[in-house]
Structure formats: C-alpha cells, structure tokens
Amino acid sequence: MVEYGLDREFGRPDSWAAAVEKKYTEVDGWAVEELILNYWRISLRYLHAPGEAVSRFLNGLKEGRITGTQCDTCGRVLIPPRYFCEWCFKRVDRWVEHPGTGTVSTYSLSYIGTDPGVRLEKPEIVAVIWFDGTVVKRPASKTVVHAAGILHRLGGVEPSGVRVGLRVKPVWRREREGSILDIDHFEPAGGGLV
Amino acid sequence: MRRVAIVGAGMTFFRSMLPMTPQEMVFEAVRKCLDDAGLSHKDVQAVVTGSAPDAFDGYHHKGSVVVESFSGMGKPVSRVFVGGGTGVGVAVAGWWHVASGAFDRVLLVAWEKMSHPYPHAQPLFRTIFDPIIEQPLGPNLIWIFALEMRRYMEAHNLKKEQIAEVAVKNKGNALDHPYAQLGARITVDDVLKSPVLVWPVNRLDISPTSDGAVALMLASEEEAKKITDTPVWLDGVGACLDSQYWTNRDLAYPYYVYLAAQQAYKMAGITNPLKEIDVFEPYDPFTYKELHHLDALLGKPGLAPQLLAEGQLARDGDHPTCPSGGLLGVGNPIAAAGLMKVAELYWQLSGRAGRRQVPNAYVGVAQAWGDLMQVGQVVVCRS
C-alpha cells in the first residue's frame, strides 16, 4: 500500500465528471503500463442441458407454440416451465398451451450492447412479458405473487411508445430451431393498455 | 442463544488497487480490525469469510487462498456466498457461530478485487442470466436493474429526478468517509445528464466497481465486556432467498428483504422500525435500490421515496439513510461493500463515525441484496 501510495487519501474528484471519466489505467501514482502484470486468459466452454421441462418448451417453440406446465394443486401456470411446483413441492405433469399474448410488466431501453463498451445507435427495447390469464394476486394487497412470464425484446414500436401494461403478442421467425430466439420479438397486439 | 457483540472493525480504501494482491488487501483490513479490538491474531477462534465468484480472480478456492492474511491456519474457516448479499451474509453467519455458543471470538472478513478481470468485470456479471432461455437474447447485466427500476417507478409513479436525489445524497455523504472512492458534490442534473446506459439507468445511478477489504471482530457477551467498554450488539439477524424465476415475480417490491428484516426485528424486539431505528444502511448499488430496499425494511411500499423527497433521509434528517455514503459513494467491491455497511453501524453506534456521525444513534439496520434479485440479508445493531 505504501509503495503505491494506496495508504493515502488521494485523488478525491472535484466533480462527477472527473470521477467517472478517470481511466482505470490512470490511478494516481501508478499506471497499468508501469506495473509488472501477468496476463492470463482462460477459455471455457459449456454444454448446458435444458432438462426435461425446458426441452419440451423449446420443442414447442420450434413448432411455433408457447407451452407451459400447470400445477393441479395451486393452479399456477408455469412459464418458463418446470416439472415440479416449488410452492406445492410436487411433480407437475400437466402441459398447457398459451397463445403468447400478454402485457408488458416492465421494460427498459438498452443503449449499450451485450458488451457494455458498445454504444447502440438505436436502443434495444427489452421487456418482461406476463402472459394473459396467468397473473396471481394476493387478494388483500393486490400484490402480484406469480405470473407466467419471460424476458424478451420488443419490436414494431417506438421506444417512446412503450408503456407498462402494453398488450403484446409474439412475432415468430420463419426458420425455427428450438430456441428462445424462435420468437423474434413481441409486438403491440392492439387494444391499448391494461 | 447468546448475545453477540461487534468489538472491532477495519477496512482498506475502496478503489482500484490493481498493484496489490487480495492477500495484501485482506491483511491490511484484518490488522486494523485486530488493532481496533486490541486483540492478537491468536485470539481468533474461527473465521467467516465472504467474497464474490472465483471467476473475478481467475483462480479457484479464493476463500482459502488468502488464509494467511486472516491467520486462519489451524482454525475453522467458512465462506459465505450469496452474490451481492455476501457482505451482510458474513455478519449473519458470524452471528450463528457466536450465538450458538460454538465460538467466543470470531473474525469476519469480506473482500473483493474487481480489477483482476481485464479489461472489465462486466462479462462475468452477465453469467447470472439463464444460459438457455435468457443468454441467447444477448443481455448485459444492467438490463435487469433497469427492468426492476422501471417497475418500481411504475408502482409508485416516480420520476427519475426524484430517484436521482439518492446519488446526490450518498456521494455527498461519502465526502466525509476517509476510505471512499467516489465522494463528490453533484446535482440531480449531473445524474440526469450522465450517459444513459440502459434507460432508466444512467451512469451516475450506478456504484463503481472497486477493490477493497473489510474486517469485523465478533465476541460473545462475556468476552466483549473484557475487550471493550463500547461494544455494539448484533441483536438481530435475518436472511431470505426468493425464487430464481425472476420473470415470474413482481419486481416492484423486494418481499424477500421484507421477510429477512422481519426475522431480524423479531429477534431484536423491534416492532416499529421507522420509530425505533436511528440509522439505516440499505444496500444501494443503484440509486433506486436504496429506496426499494428501505421500503422493505420499513415494511411500507412507497414510503421511502416520500421520506427522501422530504429530506428525512439526509444525515441530519429524521431517518438518516446511508450516512456512510453507501455503495454509490464509498464504492462497490461486492462482498466488502456489504460488510462495510455493518462496519458503518459499528462506527455510528459506538460514536466513532467522525464527520459522518449521526447524533443520538443507538439502533441501526444494515442490509444487502444479491444473486438474481432474490437475496435479502439483514442485521440489526444496538449500542
């Protein structure tokens, strides 16, 4: 700490601009270029199995269908599907098909890419979609305690036109391979806000 | 269960400390903590550690790699990991060690070195998304925070301007923290004009990545009385995990934080947190998170933004919140940031907080949150 001056109070920014624009290689007293550093790269690859329930969900997407499981005891529709209900803690075997229409529970506008260093010209609209007829509320507080829903992109709408409660429907890709991307995006279904 | 006390604390600066190893950082914090408590490393009976994924460091078992730095050889050492909730989780697990009667003197240490991954730790964070149904969409980490923030804004009809006040307050508070990374005097306008990353999250809504280490010493009641005249009692702990299926939950209210807080309050005999608690240290990696968590700590959705607007969350307000400067101001070396909040309670409640001192502070609550928006870790302290 002493050698690199890290034991001292230093570099207190005068403004936020100075604070956030300071480059990580320019910390007072030392710079990355002047240090003896070991550069090490790890390359890892993974094969993730979707498992019993999600495999069936992905096969459904390939056929242009959104499927989920439904618990016989609590009645919840589970999308993404699982083969057991975590509330009732029992196996769930019943499969249901959903048209995929729903509402935007929440959304955001991503001005950065998957790599946060990449700035996007036009923001990507990201949303959590809650499927129609699957929302369970706690009667006393009207708090939503469960909704079958997924994360996806929105299209066919301007960023300024998106609202929480917007009704949406899936837009399918012509070539499908059993991936969440078989749904290209969700677009406004008409019918205004819910 | 036995009563548990905090009898010492120590921390390093929070900032990029690329030239140092985690071992050097941790030693620094632990040495300061033992000096504060007036104890020797030989007095430590067991160690509870906390640090974020091994992937940040690029090597495995990072919990035991730094064993020399906390003198853990020949002692029981465990590691807590619940994402961002880790820091406060360390204090919760430390309480289990001492309250159970298993140990009398337990060292808590949490550290993070986020400057290891090059050029940035961001791609590692991104691995929290489901590899099959979310990763193909190409998410970046901020997506989920922006989604949660937007839902929170919708639930209580909040504007970005209102939420931005949190950054102004916390970065301002951090000017008085001797170890802070981003203390600054800023305005709401600065926050709103900083680059939009994922709307509604701007650059200044986010806490900085950082390196740092924090250590705390816990002791049983009998031992604490031998060690110090000013112990701070760890009177309540609570922990709660919610479902991994975050798209199936309503993000407007962190119910799991509420449940964790209720456990801690019950243990500490607190029935009206707003009246009985003098200092709040909710987890604030993002501006809205402070309000979101404070809502749950108070058990009243939508109350925190009102208190903020009335100025009651300021250090000299009725309900001082993040007087340390929080993660937004002091910095966010993940696990260390959580334990820093517990250390802040120790300093505040024992009257050692210097320029940050909240007058008449006797009861405090610290909280952290993590994993995929699903962990609540809460501790209640009393002097």
Side-chain angles (χ1 to χ4, degrees):
Chain A
M1 281 212 161
V2 177
E3 184 173 345
Y4 295 107
L6 290 167
D7 58 327
R8 290 179 282 118
E9 192 175 340
F10 69 92
R12 175 146 290 167
D14 299 325
S15 68
W16 76 265
V20 299
E21 278 166 17
K22 181 181 262 183
K23 287 220 178 68
Y24 147 82
T25 57
E26 291 170 359
V27 175
D28 302 8
W30 54 271
V32 169
E33 293 73 19
E34 293 164 10
L35 298 171
I36 298 174
L37 292 167
N38 178 41
Y39 180 73
W40 184 34
R41 186 180 188 129
I42 315 172
S43 180
L44 300 170
R45 282 156 201 258
Y46 295 88
L47 278 173
H48 283 116
E52 202 176 303
V54 174
S55 290
R56 195 157 159 174
F57 174 70
L58 295 176
N59 277 317
L61 293 179
K62 203 171 176 176
E63 296 161 14
R65 300 185 299 125
I66 291 174
T67 54
T69 51
Q70 186 169 23
C71 175
D72 288 334
T73 310
C74 65
R76 287 190 309 154
V77 175
L78 307 172
I79 304 174
R82 34 257 198 209
Y83 85 165
F84 63 92
C85 170
E86 70 272 15
W87 285 14
C88 309
F89 214 67
K90 55 179 273 196
R91 183 151 179 139
V92 175
D93 292 318
R94 184 137 64 96
W95 282 82
V96 291
E97 192 171 331
H98 197 282
T101 51
T103 54
V104 170
S105 156
T106 181
Y107 67 95
S108 63
L109 311 174
S110 190
Y111 287 82
I112 53 174
T114 306
D115 173 351
V118 176
R119 213 94 206 138
L120 305 177
E121 282 284 310
K122 200 167 181 272
E124 188 171 9
I125 313 173
V126 188
V128 174
I129 290 117
W130 282 352
F131 294 115
D132 287 344
T134 66
V135 179
V136 182
K137 290 181 179 171
R138 191 177 289 116
S141 60
K142 297 206 174 137
T143 315
V144 174
V145 289
H146 172 79
I150 57 168
L151 172 72
H152 222 292
R153 301 192 192 106
L154 295 187
V157 56
E158 281 304 305
S160 57
V162 187
R163 295 283 179 273
V164 171
L166 182 71
R167 292 194 45 76
V168 291
K169 63 179 187 206
V171 175
W172 294 90
R173 284 189 183 170
R174 200 169 306 235
E175 301 287 323
R176 294 189 293 266
E177 52 177 21
S179 150
I180 194 70
L181 298 179
D182 288 350
I183 301 171
D184 190 72
H185 60 271
F186 281 76
E187 67 172 14
L193 299 177
V194 167
Chain B
M1 290 290 178
R2 302 192 298 173
R3 208 172 182 200
V4 181
I6 305 173
V7 296
M11 70 181 279
T12 66
F13 285 94
F14 280 6
R15 60 184 49 143
S16 173
M17 292 197 271
L18 187 65
M20 299 184 71
T21 63
Q23 285 87 340
E24 290 166 341
M25 278 165 34
V26 169
F27 173 77
E28 199 78 24
V30 171
R31 190 61 257 175
K32 279 182 190 163
C33 171
L34 291 173
D35 288 345
D36 185 35
L39 293 175
S40 147
H41 60 293
K42 291 176 184 158
D43 295 321
V44 175
Q45 292 174 329
V47 187
V48 181
T49 69
S51 200
D54 290 344
F56 275 147
D57 296 57
Y59 48 73
H60 259 302
H61 60 88
K62 76 185 232 190
S64 26
V65 158
V66 301
V67 59
E68 287 82 5
S69 311
F70 49 74
S71 183
M73 299 82 67
K75 295 167 191 171
V77 176
S78 54
R79 176 175 167 200
V80 172
F81 181 55
V82 278
T86 302
V88 175
V90 166
V92 173
W95 183 89
W96 298 336
H97 277 64
V98 181
S100 63
F103 302 99
D104 286 322
R105 293 176 301 273
V106 172
L107 177 69
L108 311 181
V109 49
W111 73 96
E112 215 62 72
K113 189 142 179 353
M114 297 168 76
S115 57
H116 274 148
Y118 187 79
H120 204 276
Q122 199 59 226
L124 296 169
F125 282 115
R126 206 168 65 224
T127 58
I128 63 165
F129 287 99
D130 185 286
I132 292 158
I133 50 175
E134 288 165 359
Q135 291 289 4
L137 295 164
N140 58 59
L141 180 74
I142 304 169
W143 277 19
I144 54 167
F145 299 106
L147 290 165
E148 189 177 61
M149 180 169 174
R150 181 66 191 85
R151 182 78 188 162
Y152 183 59
M153 288 163 71
E154 183 74 14
H156 305 297
N157 199 15
L158 298 173
K159 298 231 164 6
K160 264 188 67 67
E161 296 85 297
Q162 293 165 271
I163 295 175
E165 291 279 3
V166 175
V168 176
K169 169 175 75 68
N170 290 6
K171 287 185 195 297
N173 284 351
L175 283 170
D176 293 330
H177 199 302
Y179 300 110
Q181 179 176 9
L182 268 189
R185 230 174 286 290
I186 59 166
T187 63
V188 167
D189 218 37
D190 288 333
V191 182
L192 299 179
K193 284 186 180 153
S194 64
V196 184
L197 299 181
V198 183
W199 189 90
V201 174
N202 289 36
R203 179 73 178 265
L204 281 181
D205 284 306
I206 309 185
S207 56
T209 57
S210 191
D211 300 340
V214 180
L216 282 182
M217 192 68 206
L218 296 189
S220 62
E221 183 163 15
E222 203 172 298
E223 283 294 314
K225 284 178 178 162
K226 290 184 212 157
I227 296 168
T228 175
D229 295 331
T230 53
V232 168
W233 302 100
L234 195 48
D235 271 355
V237 300
C240 181
L241 192 63
D242 203 346
S243 168
Q244 171 81 7
Y245 291 98
W246 64 281
T247 54
N248 290 174
R249 294 190 266 122
D250 191 341
L251 302 176
Y253 186 58
Y255 192 63
Y256 45 94
V257 172
Y258 168 78
L259 291 178
Q262 291 302 313
Q263 290 171 26
Y265 295 158
K266 193 177 170 198
M267 205 181 277
I270 287 171
T271 49
N272 184 340
L274 188 62
K275 261 195 182 152
E276 294 172 52
I277 292 171
D278 308 314
V279 183
F280 293 87
E281 276 286 342
Y283 197 63
D284 62 326
F286 288 72
T287 44
Y288 78 97
K289 291 267 39 165
E290 171 172 311
L291 306 171
H292 197 235
H293 293 145
L294 189 58
D295 273 0
L297 292 176
L298 297 172
K300 297 207 168 75
L303 180 58
Q306 285 177 34
L307 296 175
L308 176 73
E310 292 162 10
Q312 296 194 37
L313 305 188
R315 201 188 282 145
D316 55 0
D318 285 348
H319 308 289
T321 301
C322 289
S324 61
L327 277 56
L328 288 164
V330 187
N332 188 5
I334 306 182
L339 199 56
M340 177 274 286
K341 291 194 165 274
V342 186
E344 180 69 12
L345 292 188
Y346 168 71
W347 287 318
Q348 288 287 352
L349 304 182
S350 62
R352 292 180 171 95
R355 285 185 293 171
R356 307 189 305 289
Q357 187 65 49
V358 170
N360 303 320
Y362 303 106
V363 184
V365 62
Q367 172 259 337
W369 157 96
D371 282 353
L372 196 49
M373 319 165 97
Q374 65 191 136
V375 176
Q377 301 276 343
V378 177
V379 297
V380 173
C381 293
R382 207 180 250 133
S383 57

